[in-house]
Amino acid sequence: MKLFDKCPLCGGDVVEKEVDKLLKGNGNTAIVKVKAEVCLHCGERLYAPDVIAKFEDVRKRLKEGKIENFIEIGKSYQVA
Ligand SMILES: [Zn+2]
């Protein structure tokens, strides 16, 4: 089921894809694989409400350090 037939920003065609979403909290980063609808024209990603709720949950867990279920995949670096 598609959320959008056309991109709400530019009116471009939208396709469903699996994407990596980067979430940050408390200096830590988590990558979440989710389905998104991606605009072929401007690249805007559109998420379903349950996916957005999942992002909020992951951000909250990062902030509170409740990351027992998360898998460590390496360190993150910032390049100035
Ligand atoms: Zn667009």
Side-chain angles (χ1 to χ4, degrees):
M1 192 188 72
K2 280 183 117 184
L3 293 169
F4 298 94
D5 280 329
K6 299 282 179 191
C7 174
L9 294 184
C10 74
D13 286 327
V14 173
V15 291
E16 193 177 70
K17 281 188 183 174
E18 189 158 89
V19 299
D20 289 337
K21 171 76 173 174
L22 215 66
L23 297 168
K24 289 183 180 176
N26 209 12
N28 294 316
T29 306
I31 300 166
V32 190
K33 270 196 193 301
V34 292
K35 278 190 177 160
E37 288 170 20
V38 182
C39 174
L40 293 174
H41 185 69
C42 73
E44 179 72 7
R45 290 175 176 186
L46 308 158
Y47 301 104
D50 62 313
V51 172
I52 292 168
K54 186 175 179 177
F55 293 162
E56 289 308 312
D57 180 56
V58 171
R59 280 199 191 98
K60 194 160 164 263
R61 282 166 176 271
L62 283 172
K63 276 193 193 122
E64 294 173 357
K66 292 180 182 167
I67 53 168
E68 302 85 21
N69 300 329
F70 294 5
I71 300 160
E72 195 176 313
I73 55 166
K75 293 188 188 301
S76 302
Y77 301 96
Q78 181 173 313
V79 180

